[in-house]
Amino acid sequence: QLYREARECLTLLSQRLGSQKFFFGDSPASLDALVFSRLAPLMKAKLPNGKLQQHLKSLQNLCNYCTSILSLYFPWDGGENHPPPHSAGLAYGSEAEEDPHKRRKQLLSVLVGLVAMLGYAFLSGIISIQRGSVGPAGRQPVALEEEEEEE
């Protein structure tokens, strides 16, 4: 049933796309990013059961859609073009010499990402800090005792 629904979804996407370059005309929208993020791995990955992949490959406009986006936005991956080799890295013999601040930039980007995720978690209420009174050792707050009595 899951495969049947997935095939139906692919067919509906194909019908909606029609002969357009993107779902809403000549320029990509967020829907295009979402659809591409699902279709490209399905089209390119080697899967143990290829039923869905075969169905996708039979929908030529969706295949052309993925290939077009790959060659347009990822030319080194989906198209014929490959990224130019780093001549500086070859001249000096290592990537560390090519960018001496690479490690610092990586660490800084990880820290910024971590701070952003924690900030989002606090602001959205996923994580909250509650301060309670500290009583004598072995004594639990009243709220926890009431919950235990209800159980």
Side-chain angles (χ1 to χ4, degrees):
Q1 181 181 354
L2 186 62
Y3 280 114
R4 185 170 17 99
E5 289 177 7
R7 283 193 306 270
E8 182 181 343
C9 182
L10 288 175
T11 303
L12 291 172
L13 283 171
S14 176
Q15 290 172 357
R16 172 65 180 90
L17 180 63
S19 61
Q20 299 180 96
K21 186 173 182 177
F22 298 104
F23 280 96
F24 294 112
D26 291 334
S27 61
S30 58
L31 177 64
D32 292 293
L34 179 70
V35 170
F36 174 76
S37 72
R38 301 300 193 262
L39 294 182
L42 180 61
M43 190 172 95
K44 295 287 187 179
K46 293 185 180 187
L47 304 171
N49 185 347
K51 291 179 186 178
L52 202 56
Q53 193 174 48
Q54 289 173 353
H55 183 68
L56 174 60
K57 288 183 179 181
S58 72
L59 302 169
Q60 195 58 43
N61 65 337
L62 288 180
C63 290
N64 293 342
Y65 169 79
C66 287
T67 304
S68 170
I69 291 176
L70 280 170
S71 63
L72 189 64
Y73 294 102
F74 307 99
W76 61 90
D77 195 34
E80 296 296 320
N81 302 335
H82 296 287
H86 297 287
S87 58
L90 295 174
Y92 295 113
S94 74
E95 289 182 22
E97 293 174 0
E98 180 181 337
D99 187 3
H101 304 292
K102 183 177 179 179
R103 183 63 72 190
R104 183 175 62 186
K105 289 177 184 177
Q106 287 175 337
L107 181 61
L108 184 61
S109 65
V110 168
L111 289 174
V112 167
L114 182 62
V115 167
M117 288 190 298
L118 286 174
Y120 173 77
F122 278 114
L123 291 174
S124 65
I126 295 172
I127 298 175
S128 63
I129 298 176
Q130 296 178 352
R131 297 179 189 255
S133 61
V134 179
R139 186 168 177 223
Q140 295 190 2
V142 176
L144 290 177
E145 289 178 18
E146 290 175 358
E147 288 179 16
E148 290 174 358
E149 289 176 2
E150 290 175 9
E151 292 176 1

mmCIF file of all heavy atoms in Angstrom, residues 80-120:
data_model
loop_
_atom_site.group_PDB
_atom_site.id
_atom_site.type_symbol
_atom_site.label_atom_id
_atom_site.label_comp_id
_atom_site.label_asym_id
_atom_site.label_seq_id
_atom_site.Cartn_x
_atom_site.Cartn_y
_atom_site.Cartn_z
ATOM 1 N N GLU A 80 27.976 17.507 -16.494
ATOM 2 C CA GLU A 80 29.236 17.045 -17.077
ATOM 3 C C GLU A 80 30.435 17.773 -16.482
ATOM 4 O O GLU A 80 31.532 17.261 -16.490
ATOM 5 C CB GLU A 80 29.218 17.267 -18.598
ATOM 6 C CG GLU A 80 28.148 16.453 -19.312
ATOM 7 C CD GLU A 80 28.387 14.954 -19.190
ATOM 8 O OE1 GLU A 80 29.553 14.537 -19.277
ATOM 9 O OE2 GLU A 80 27.414 14.223 -18.999
ATOM 10 N N ASN A 81 30.210 18.980 -15.989
ATOM 11 C CA ASN A 81 31.308 19.784 -15.465
ATOM 12 C C ASN A 81 31.756 19.274 -14.108
ATOM 13 O O ASN A 81 30.963 18.836 -13.306
ATOM 14 C CB ASN A 81 30.876 21.246 -15.314
ATOM 15 C CG ASN A 81 30.408 21.830 -16.619
ATOM 16 O OD1 ASN A 81 30.801 21.379 -17.681
ATOM 17 N ND2 ASN A 81 29.557 22.836 -16.537
ATOM 18 N N HIS A 82 33.021 19.346 -13.865
ATOM 19 C CA HIS A 82 33.575 18.974 -12.564
ATOM 20 C C HIS A 82 34.241 20.193 -11.971
ATOM 21 O O HIS A 82 34.702 21.067 -12.699
ATOM 22 C CB HIS A 82 34.602 17.840 -12.720
ATOM 23 C CG HIS A 82 33.978 16.584 -13.230
ATOM 24 N ND1 HIS A 82 33.162 15.799 -12.452
ATOM 25 C CD2 HIS A 82 34.034 15.992 -14.437
ATOM 26 C CE1 HIS A 82 32.758 14.761 -13.166
ATOM 27 N NE2 HIS A 82 33.262 14.854 -14.362
ATOM 28 N N PRO A 83 34.303 20.292 -10.651
ATOM 29 C CA PRO A 83 34.921 21.476 -10.062
ATOM 30 C C PRO A 83 36.385 21.556 -10.443
ATOM 31 O O PRO A 83 37.047 20.528 -10.604
ATOM 32 C CB PRO A 83 34.760 21.265 -8.555
ATOM 33 C CG PRO A 83 34.581 19.802 -8.381
ATOM 34 C CD PRO A 83 33.914 19.321 -9.636
ATOM 35 N N PRO A 84 36.884 22.762 -10.627
ATOM 36 C CA PRO A 84 38.294 22.892 -10.999
ATOM 37 C C PRO A 84 39.178 22.402 -9.855
ATOM 38 O O PRO A 84 38.853 22.601 -8.691
ATOM 39 C CB PRO A 84 38.473 24.393 -11.217
ATOM 40 C CG PRO A 84 37.348 25.035 -10.479
ATOM 41 C CD PRO A 84 36.228 24.045 -10.479
ATOM 42 N N PRO A 85 40.280 21.728 -10.189
ATOM 43 C CA PRO A 85 41.181 21.267 -9.126
ATOM 44 C C PRO A 85 41.817 22.461 -8.434
ATOM 45 O O PRO A 85 42.032 23.500 -9.035
ATOM 46 C CB PRO A 85 42.232 20.437 -9.869
ATOM 47 C CG PRO A 85 42.152 20.877 -11.284
ATOM 48 C CD PRO A 85 40.751 21.363 -11.518
ATOM 49 N N HIS A 86 42.105 22.296 -7.153
ATOM 50 C CA HIS A 86 42.719 23.372 -6.377
ATOM 51 C C HIS A 86 44.217 23.388 -6.650
ATOM 52 O O HIS A 86 44.966 22.583 -6.115
ATOM 53 C CB HIS A 86 42.458 23.172 -4.876
ATOM 54 C CG HIS A 86 41.008 23.225 -4.528
ATOM 55 N ND1 HIS A 86 40.304 24.396 -4.526
ATOM 56 C CD2 HIS A 86 40.126 22.239 -4.197
ATOM 57 C CE1 HIS A 86 39.045 24.148 -4.202
ATOM 58 N NE2 HIS A 86 38.917 22.848 -3.999
ATOM 59 N N SER A 87 44.631 24.321 -7.483
ATOM 60 C CA SER A 87 46.043 24.378 -7.833
ATOM 61 C C SER A 87 46.893 24.781 -6.639
ATOM 62 O O SER A 87 48.027 24.359 -6.505
ATOM 63 C CB SER A 87 46.254 25.353 -8.995
ATOM 64 O OG SER A 87 45.765 26.631 -8.637
ATOM 65 N N ALA A 88 46.345 25.613 -5.748
ATOM 66 C CA ALA A 88 47.121 26.029 -4.573
ATOM 67 C C ALA A 88 47.416 24.831 -3.683
ATOM 68 O O ALA A 88 48.489 24.703 -3.129
ATOM 69 C CB ALA A 88 46.361 27.103 -3.791
ATOM 70 N N GLY A 89 46.436 23.932 -3.532
ATOM 71 C CA GLY A 89 46.638 22.745 -2.713
ATOM 72 C C GLY A 89 47.693 21.840 -3.310
ATOM 73 O O GLY A 89 48.470 21.210 -2.597
ATOM 74 N N LEU A 90 47.725 21.764 -4.626
ATOM 75 C CA LEU A 90 48.726 20.928 -5.283
ATOM 76 C C LEU A 90 50.111 21.554 -5.170
ATOM 77 O O LEU A 90 51.100 20.856 -5.004
ATOM 78 C CB LEU A 90 48.355 20.726 -6.763
ATOM 79 C CG LEU A 90 47.059 19.955 -7.019
ATOM 80 C CD1 LEU A 90 46.754 19.957 -8.504
ATOM 81 C CD2 LEU A 90 47.151 18.540 -6.496
ATOM 82 N N ALA A 91 50.171 22.880 -5.243
ATOM 83 C CA ALA A 91 51.464 23.544 -5.198
ATOM 84 C C ALA A 91 52.119 23.422 -3.819
ATOM 85 O O ALA A 91 53.312 23.230 -3.712
ATOM 86 C CB ALA A 91 51.309 25.017 -5.572
ATOM 87 N N TYR A 92 51.309 23.529 -2.775
ATOM 88 C CA TYR A 92 51.874 23.479 -1.434
ATOM 89 C C TYR A 92 51.911 22.076 -0.863
ATOM 90 O O TYR A 92 52.560 21.823 0.127
ATOM 91 C CB TYR A 92 51.091 24.396 -0.486
ATOM 92 C CG TYR A 92 51.198 25.850 -0.853
ATOM 93 C CD1 TYR A 92 50.091 26.540 -1.303
ATOM 94 C CD2 TYR A 92 52.406 26.513 -0.761
ATOM 95 C CE1 TYR A 92 50.191 27.867 -1.643
ATOM 96 C CE2 TYR A 92 52.513 27.848 -1.099
ATOM 97 C CZ TYR A 92 51.397 28.523 -1.543
ATOM 98 O OH TYR A 92 51.499 29.831 -1.876
ATOM 99 N N GLY A 93 51.117 21.172 -1.438
ATOM 100 C CA GLY A 93 51.201 19.794 -1.004
ATOM 101 C C GLY A 93 50.187 19.368 0.038
ATOM 102 O O GLY A 93 50.061 18.200 0.308
ATOM 103 N N SER A 94 49.442 20.303 0.648
ATOM 104 C CA SER A 94 48.430 19.891 1.617
ATOM 105 C C SER A 94 47.343 20.951 1.716
ATOM 106 O O SER A 94 47.565 22.129 1.432
ATOM 107 C CB SER A 94 49.047 19.649 2.986
ATOM 108 O OG SER A 94 49.375 20.870 3.584
ATOM 109 N N GLU A 95 46.157 20.514 2.162
ATOM 110 C CA GLU A 95 45.042 21.444 2.310
ATOM 111 C C GLU A 95 45.249 22.394 3.489
ATOM 112 O O GLU A 95 44.755 23.497 3.485
ATOM 113 C CB GLU A 95 43.730 20.676 2.503
ATOM 114 C CG GLU A 95 43.267 19.966 1.251
ATOM 115 C CD GLU A 95 41.943 19.259 1.474
ATOM 116 O OE1 GLU A 95 41.214 19.639 2.404
ATOM 117 O OE2 GLU A 95 41.655 18.338 0.709
ATOM 118 N N ALA A 96 45.949 21.950 4.514
ATOM 119 C CA ALA A 96 46.166 22.792 5.686
ATOM 120 C C ALA A 96 46.935 24.052 5.307
ATOM 121 O O ALA A 96 46.672 25.128 5.831
ATOM 122 C CB ALA A 96 46.913 22.019 6.758
ATOM 123 N N GLU A 97 47.871 23.919 4.379
ATOM 124 C CA GLU A 97 48.641 25.087 3.950
ATOM 125 C C GLU A 97 47.815 25.985 3.041
ATOM 126 O O GLU A 97 48.071 27.177 2.958
ATOM 127 C CB GLU A 97 49.914 24.631 3.228
ATOM 128 C CG GLU A 97 50.891 23.934 4.148
ATOM 129 C CD GLU A 97 52.077 23.363 3.403
ATOM 130 O OE1 GLU A 97 52.127 23.518 2.171
ATOM 131 O OE2 GLU A 97 52.943 22.769 4.050
ATOM 132 N N GLU A 98 46.814 25.407 2.372
ATOM 133 C CA GLU A 98 45.976 26.195 1.475
ATOM 134 C C GLU A 98 45.152 27.211 2.264
ATOM 135 O O GLU A 98 45.042 28.362 1.880
ATOM 136 C CB GLU A 98 45.047 25.258 0.701
ATOM 137 C CG GLU A 98 44.134 25.969 -0.258
ATOM 138 C CD GLU A 98 43.227 25.005 -0.969
ATOM 139 O OE1 GLU A 98 43.555 23.813 -1.059
ATOM 140 O OE2 GLU A 98 42.185 25.464 -1.440
ATOM 141 N N ASP A 99 44.594 26.809 3.380
ATOM 142 C CA ASP A 99 43.806 27.698 4.220
ATOM 143 C C ASP A 99 44.240 27.509 5.666
ATOM 144 O O ASP A 99 43.787 26.585 6.341
ATOM 145 C CB ASP A 99 42.315 27.397 4.063
ATOM 146 C CG ASP A 99 41.438 28.408 4.779
ATOM 147 O OD1 ASP A 99 41.988 29.379 5.341
ATOM 148 O OD2 ASP A 99 40.217 28.237 4.776
ATOM 149 N N PRO A 100 45.123 28.361 6.158
ATOM 150 C CA PRO A 100 45.658 28.159 7.508
ATOM 151 C C PRO A 100 44.605 28.314 8.609
ATOM 152 O O PRO A 100 44.793 27.828 9.706
ATOM 153 C CB PRO A 100 46.733 29.236 7.637
ATOM 154 C CG PRO A 100 46.377 30.268 6.623
ATOM 155 C CD PRO A 100 45.689 29.529 5.516
ATOM 156 N N HIS A 101 43.473 28.944 8.317
ATOM 157 C CA HIS A 101 42.445 29.165 9.331
ATOM 158 C C HIS A 101 41.262 28.214 9.160
ATOM 159 O O HIS A 101 40.198 28.453 9.723
ATOM 160 C CB HIS A 101 41.963 30.609 9.278
ATOM 161 C CG HIS A 101 43.072 31.603 9.437
ATOM 162 N ND1 HIS A 101 43.757 31.756 10.624
ATOM 163 C CD2 HIS A 101 43.630 32.465 8.556
ATOM 164 C CE1 HIS A 101 44.680 32.693 10.465
ATOM 165 N NE2 HIS A 101 44.631 33.131 9.223
ATOM 166 N N LYS A 102 41.455 27.157 8.414
ATOM 167 C CA LYS A 102 40.355 26.237 8.118
ATOM 168 C C LYS A 102 39.787 25.609 9.394
ATOM 169 O O LYS A 102 38.574 25.576 9.581
ATOM 170 C CB LYS A 102 40.842 25.141 7.168
ATOM 171 C CG LYS A 102 39.763 24.187 6.744
ATOM 172 C CD LYS A 102 40.285 23.170 5.747
ATOM 173 C CE LYS A 102 39.191 22.210 5.343
ATOM 174 N NZ LYS A 102 39.660 21.246 4.370
ATOM 175 N N ARG A 103 40.626 25.121 10.273
ATOM 176 C CA ARG A 103 40.175 24.464 11.501
ATOM 177 C C ARG A 103 39.406 25.450 12.388
ATOM 178 O O ARG A 103 38.370 25.124 12.945
ATOM 179 C CB ARG A 103 41.373 23.877 12.253
ATOM 180 C CG ARG A 103 41.040 23.120 13.494
ATOM 181 C CD ARG A 103 40.216 21.895 13.261
ATOM 182 N NE ARG A 103 40.988 20.858 12.636
ATOM 183 C CZ ARG A 103 40.475 19.746 12.135
ATOM 184 N NH1 ARG A 103 39.189 19.534 12.210
ATOM 185 N NH2 ARG A 103 41.219 18.857 11.565
ATOM 186 N N ARG A 104 39.906 26.671 12.482
ATOM 187 C CA ARG A 104 39.242 27.685 13.298
ATOM 188 C C ARG A 104 37.869 28.030 12.719
ATOM 189 O O ARG A 104 36.899 28.169 13.456
ATOM 190 C CB ARG A 104 40.105 28.935 13.383
ATOM 191 C CG ARG A 104 39.499 30.007 14.286
ATOM 192 C CD ARG A 104 40.394 31.180 14.480
ATOM 193 N NE ARG A 104 40.656 31.836 13.209
ATOM 194 C CZ ARG A 104 41.502 32.828 13.034
ATOM 195 N NH1 ARG A 104 42.208 33.252 14.050
ATOM 196 N NH2 ARG A 104 41.667 33.379 11.861
ATOM 197 N N LYS A 105 37.790 28.131 11.397
ATOM 198 C CA LYS A 105 36.512 28.423 10.750
ATOM 199 C C LYS A 105 35.517 27.282 10.968
ATOM 200 O O LYS A 105 34.333 27.522 11.198
ATOM 201 C CB LYS A 105 36.707 28.650 9.256
ATOM 202 C CG LYS A 105 37.405 29.946 8.931
ATOM 203 C CD LYS A 105 37.631 30.088 7.440
ATOM 204 C CE LYS A 105 38.403 31.319 7.089
ATOM 205 N NZ LYS A 105 38.672 31.413 5.648
ATOM 206 N N GLN A 106 35.989 26.046 10.918
ATOM 207 C CA GLN A 106 35.106 24.906 11.151
ATOM 208 C C GLN A 106 34.577 24.927 12.577
ATOM 209 O O GLN A 106 33.383 24.727 12.814
ATOM 210 C CB GLN A 106 35.843 23.599 10.898
ATOM 211 C CG GLN A 106 36.105 23.307 9.451
ATOM 212 C CD GLN A 106 36.944 22.059 9.257
ATOM 213 O OE1 GLN A 106 37.680 21.635 10.156
ATOM 214 N NE2 GLN A 106 36.849 21.462 8.079
ATOM 215 N N LEU A 107 35.444 25.146 13.525
ATOM 216 C CA LEU A 107 35.039 25.183 14.925
ATOM 217 C C LEU A 107 34.057 26.322 15.172
ATOM 218 O O LEU A 107 33.039 26.142 15.852
ATOM 219 C CB LEU A 107 36.271 25.341 15.832
ATOM 220 C CG LEU A 107 36.001 25.371 17.327
ATOM 221 C CD1 LEU A 107 35.359 24.060 17.778
ATOM 222 C CD2 LEU A 107 37.283 25.612 18.087
ATOM 223 N N LEU A 108 34.326 27.485 14.599
ATOM 224 C CA LEU A 108 33.444 28.626 14.760
ATOM 225 C C LEU A 108 32.072 28.345 14.154
ATOM 226 O O LEU A 108 31.050 28.664 14.755
ATOM 227 C CB LEU A 108 34.072 29.869 14.121
ATOM 228 C CG LEU A 108 33.309 31.175 14.294
ATOM 229 C CD1 LEU A 108 33.181 31.508 15.780
ATOM 230 C CD2 LEU A 108 34.009 32.299 13.565
ATOM 231 N N SER A 109 32.026 27.712 12.997
ATOM 232 C CA SER A 109 30.731 27.417 12.378
ATOM 233 C C SER A 109 29.948 26.400 13.195
ATOM 234 O O SER A 109 28.722 26.500 13.325
ATOM 235 C CB SER A 109 30.912 26.931 10.940
ATOM 236 O OG SER A 109 31.601 25.708 10.917
ATOM 237 N N VAL A 110 30.623 25.431 13.792
ATOM 238 C CA VAL A 110 29.943 24.465 14.656
ATOM 239 C C VAL A 110 29.386 25.165 15.888
ATOM 240 O O VAL A 110 28.249 24.921 16.302
ATOM 241 C CB VAL A 110 30.901 23.321 15.049
ATOM 242 C CG1 VAL A 110 30.323 22.477 16.171
ATOM 243 C CG2 VAL A 110 31.210 22.448 13.845
ATOM 244 N N LEU A 111 30.166 26.052 16.491
ATOM 245 C CA LEU A 111 29.700 26.777 17.670
ATOM 246 C C LEU A 111 28.514 27.678 17.347
ATOM 247 O O LEU A 111 27.543 27.734 18.112
ATOM 248 C CB LEU A 111 30.840 27.596 18.279
ATOM 249 C CG LEU A 111 31.933 26.784 18.978
ATOM 250 C CD1 LEU A 111 33.067 27.690 19.416
ATOM 251 C CD2 LEU A 111 31.365 26.026 20.155
ATOM 252 N N VAL A 112 28.554 28.357 16.225
ATOM 253 C CA VAL A 112 27.436 29.216 15.827
ATOM 254 C C VAL A 112 26.186 28.368 15.607
ATOM 255 O O VAL A 112 25.087 28.731 16.044
ATOM 256 C CB VAL A 112 27.791 30.028 14.566
ATOM 257 C CG1 VAL A 112 26.569 30.678 13.957
ATOM 258 C CG2 VAL A 112 28.833 31.085 14.899
ATOM 259 N N GLY A 113 26.334 27.218 14.966
ATOM 260 C CA GLY A 113 25.193 26.331 14.759
ATOM 261 C C GLY A 113 24.625 25.824 16.070
ATOM 262 O O GLY A 113 23.409 25.767 16.253
ATOM 263 N N LEU A 114 25.488 25.463 16.995
ATOM 264 C CA LEU A 114 25.043 24.973 18.294
ATOM 265 C C LEU A 114 24.302 26.060 19.066
ATOM 266 O O LEU A 114 23.234 25.815 19.637
ATOM 267 C CB LEU A 114 26.249 24.479 19.101
ATOM 268 C CG LEU A 114 25.954 23.881 20.468
ATOM 269 C CD1 LEU A 114 25.078 22.650 20.317
ATOM 270 C CD2 LEU A 114 27.243 23.519 21.169
ATOM 271 N N VAL A 115 24.832 27.269 19.057
ATOM 272 C CA VAL A 115 24.171 28.379 19.741
ATOM 273 C C VAL A 115 22.817 28.661 19.090
ATOM 274 O O VAL A 115 21.815 28.899 19.783
ATOM 275 C CB VAL A 115 25.070 29.640 19.739
ATOM 276 C CG1 VAL A 115 24.301 30.883 20.158
ATOM 277 C CG2 VAL A 115 26.268 29.424 20.647
ATOM 278 N N ALA A 116 22.753 28.606 17.775
ATOM 279 C CA ALA A 116 21.489 28.850 17.090
ATOM 280 C C ALA A 116 20.454 27.791 17.441
ATOM 281 O O ALA A 116 19.288 28.106 17.700
ATOM 282 C CB ALA A 116 21.715 28.891 15.579
ATOM 283 N N MET A 117 20.861 26.526 17.484
ATOM 284 C CA MET A 117 19.919 25.456 17.835
ATOM 285 C C MET A 117 19.456 25.585 19.278
ATOM 286 O O MET A 117 18.274 25.411 19.572
ATOM 287 C CB MET A 117 20.565 24.087 17.595
ATOM 288 C CG MET A 117 20.705 23.745 16.138
ATOM 289 S SD MET A 117 21.186 22.057 15.814
ATOM 290 C CE MET A 117 22.778 21.961 16.598
ATOM 291 N N LEU A 118 20.360 25.870 20.193
ATOM 292 C CA LEU A 118 19.967 26.041 21.587
ATOM 293 C C LEU A 118 19.054 27.248 21.758
ATOM 294 O O LEU A 118 18.078 27.196 22.516
ATOM 295 C CB LEU A 118 21.200 26.176 22.480
ATOM 296 C CG LEU A 118 21.975 24.883 22.734
ATOM 297 C CD1 LEU A 118 23.256 25.180 23.497
ATOM 298 C CD2 LEU A 118 21.127 23.886 23.487
ATOM 299 N N GLY A 119 19.363 28.332 21.066
ATOM 300 C CA GLY A 119 18.500 29.511 21.123
ATOM 301 C C GLY A 119 17.103 29.204 20.622
ATOM 302 O O GLY A 119 16.107 29.596 21.236
ATOM 303 N N TYR A 120 17.017 28.482 19.530
ATOM 304 C CA TYR A 120 15.708 28.084 18.999
ATOM 305 C C TYR A 120 14.972 27.204 19.997
ATOM 306 O O TYR A 120 13.774 27.375 20.225
ATOM 307 C CB TYR A 120 15.870 27.358 17.662
ATOM 308 C CG TYR A 120 14.573 26.791 17.160
ATOM 309 C CD1 TYR A 120 13.629 27.618 16.566
ATOM 310 C CD2 TYR A 120 14.280 25.444 17.298
ATOM 311 C CE1 TYR A 120 12.425 27.112 16.121
ATOM 312 C CE2 TYR A 120 13.074 24.928 16.857
ATOM 313 C CZ TYR A 120 12.151 25.768 16.264
ATOM 314 O OH TYR A 120 10.958 25.264 15.832
#
